[in-house]
Amino acid sequence: MKAVLSKEPGGPSTLVVEEIAKPEPKKGEVLVKVKIAALNFFDCLIIEDKYQFRPPRPFSIAAEMAGVVEAVGEGVDGFAPGERVCGYLPTGTAREFITAPTNVLSKIPDGVSDEDAACIMVTYGTSYHALKQRADLKSGETLAVLGASGGVGQAAVELGKIMGANVIACASTNEKLEFCRECGADEVVNYTDEDLKDRLKKLTGGKGCDVIYDPVGGDFSEAAFRAIAWEGRFLVVGFASGPIPKIPLNLPLLKGADLRGVFWGTFTARQPQDNADNISDLLGWLADGSLKPHVDSVFPMEEAAKALDKIASRDVKGKVLLRVAD
Ligand SMILES: NC(=O)c1ccc[n+]([C@@H]2O[C@H](COP(=O)([O-])OP(=O)(O)OC[C@H]3O[C@@H](n4cnc5c(N)ncnc54)[C@H](OP(=O)(O)O)[C@@H]3O)[C@@H](O)[C@H]2O)c1
């Protein structure tokens, strides 16, 4: 079978597509024929050995996928050949076949496309976990999202609206903010041209934001924290801009506010049932049309390097997908 492989550390151009052996499902595993593999920002980091874990090489990129069950291993209940499934692995779905334990797979409801199903695990899974389990976001609260046109940011904007929040999208260009409006944002802030703290305060009538969702880091984190409401919750999601900010601890003290870490991958391992419930909500919203993922582009698997380069160069609005099979 064909697989996109990282065989040496480096940028997207180091990726190759090669033939490798097709896997066999072991006890408790499902063999899935992958149709769509979805990319994320962290795929850029993993291939450069800059992510939280380093898979042994050669490994395949892409943590999430949609496909069809090809076979099941001994002891597998609840999945049968021919069923459409989506799922999440730490990495490695950009290949024609994968094996996965049943607890990371979900059945795709009728009427939901492979493309949409492949999109929802990491970005929507992370943002829903962040807003639900970590922030306890309530209807009527104000949610500010930094990097709001990016993968997890865009998901946070859409889910914030579904959860009844007033959503302020913050991003670096007016074009990106226009996209955030299309995703449902009520208000927007261009943090290249405007002072983030002042604008967030102004938009909330001086009260500040109840929840701040930050996947960007750098200087924006402290500026945003200075516009948090009394008893606000600041979600530490990622550091896409590079620098890990150091927040002065007088800021949470003065606002009676919380800094709350979000680590979706570990959440899925430690609270599998809560994660399964979250994914079930997300698939339900896909099926009833409340959630409509934005696919930026779909590349053939052979053009994985080009696809990842698009993410690395910040030229993406929504998800970048690899078509592995028709
Ligand atoms: N905690 C978790 O469980 C979890 C799960 C998934 C992802 N993450 C992390 O969340 C972060 C964002 O992931 P993503 O998939 O949303 O990425 P993405 O689609 O590339 O979006 C990141 C956004 O960050 C902003 N940004 C600012 N400086 C940047 C820079 N130098 N390079 C790239 N982007 C920059 C960009 O928006 P503007 O141009 O508008 O500023 C961009 O839209 C990453 O650090 C990722 O590792 C964390």
Side-chain angles (χ1 to χ4, degrees):
M1 68 169 184
K2 274 194 213 153
V4 177
L5 297 177
S6 170
K7 297 176 85 176
E8 55 178 297
S13 64
T14 57
L15 293 172
V16 293
V17 178
E18 288 186 1
E19 284 287 329
I20 59 168
K22 183 177 167 184
E24 293 284 335
K26 296 193 193 77
K27 191 174 176 184
E29 285 184 343
V30 176
L31 176 68
V32 181
K33 180 176 165 57
V34 177
K35 292 199 154 188
I36 298 282
L39 299 178
N40 289 284
F41 180 81
F42 59 69
D43 288 303
C44 304
L45 303 178
I46 286 182
I47 60 169
E48 293 200 49
D49 287 350
K50 290 183 181 163
Y51 196 52
Q52 288 135 351
F53 63 91
R54 292 183 185 185
R57 288 192 166 80
F59 66 87
S60 296
I61 55 168
E64 48 192 341
M65 65 88 214
V68 177
V69 175
E70 177 92 350
V72 298
E74 188 192 330
V76 168
D77 281 331
F79 288 92
E83 284 178 336
R84 297 170 65 228
V85 289
C86 54
Y88 162 81
L89 294 176
T91 188
T93 75
R95 47 179 62 188
E96 287 180 310
F97 292 91
I98 59 159
T99 52
T102 52
N103 64 355
V104 302
L105 296 175
S106 302
K107 290 179 194 173
I108 303 175
D110 289 344
V112 174
S113 69
D114 293 333
E115 286 81 358
D116 284 355
C119 288
I120 58 134
M121 292 284 158
V122 175
T123 51
Y124 289 92
T126 297
S127 294
Y128 191 38
H129 163 56
L131 298 178
K132 185 180 171 187
Q133 278 90 15
R134 301 302 294 142
D136 191 21
L137 179 69
K138 295 177 193 70
S139 182
E141 287 192 317
T142 300
L143 164 70
V145 180
L146 312 189
S149 73
V152 294
Q154 178 223 324
V157 169
E158 290 181 43
L159 292 167
K161 286 315 298 171
I162 288 176
M163 294 167 84
N166 177 43
V167 178
I168 305 174
C170 312
S172 62
T173 69
N174 289 339
E175 194 201 348
K176 287 183 175 184
L177 290 168
E178 218 168 278
F179 172 66
C180 297
R181 289 254 193 220
E182 286 166 28
C183 295
D186 299 289
E187 303 286 353
V188 295
V189 179
N190 180 330
Y191 46 51
T192 306
D193 299 343
E194 301 171 286
D195 183 276
L196 182 58
K197 179 192 107 185
D198 290 350
R199 184 89 173 111
L200 288 176
K201 283 270 201 180
K202 203 164 175 199
L203 286 170
T204 53
K207 173 178 176 276
C209 306
D210 299 300
V211 175
I212 295 173
Y213 181 101
D214 179 14
V216 177
D219 293 339
F220 293 128
S221 303
E222 182 174 334
F225 204 115
R226 288 182 180 277
I228 205 163
W230 174 249
E231 292 190 338
R233 288 86 77 202
F234 185 99
L235 298 169
V236 182
V237 181
F239 314 105
S241 70
I244 297 179
K246 295 181 171 61
I247 302 283
L249 286 180
N250 63 317
L251 297 182
L253 181 153
L254 290 170
K255 299 291 182 66
D258 294 351
L259 266 172
R260 298 190 185 175
V262 175
F263 196 173
W264 181 71
T266 301
F267 161 75
T268 64
R270 295 177 77 107
Q271 293 172 241
Q273 189 52 52
D274 289 335
N275 182 54
D277 292 345
N278 285 3
I279 298 297
S280 166
D281 283 353
L282 293 171
L283 286 168
W285 287 326
L286 278 184
D288 73 14
S290 329
L291 207 55
K292 188 80 199 93
H294 293 256
V295 175
D296 177 278
S297 38
V298 185
F299 290 83
M301 179 170 68
E302 289 71 15
E303 292 182 18
K306 209 167 145 190
L308 202 52
D309 205 39
K310 200 166 192 297
I311 295 179
S313 57
R314 274 172 98 174
D315 180 26
V316 169
K317 291 199 284 295
K319 290 292 283 190
V320 177
L321 307 179
L322 298 179
R323 182 170 301 287
V324 179
D326 288 325

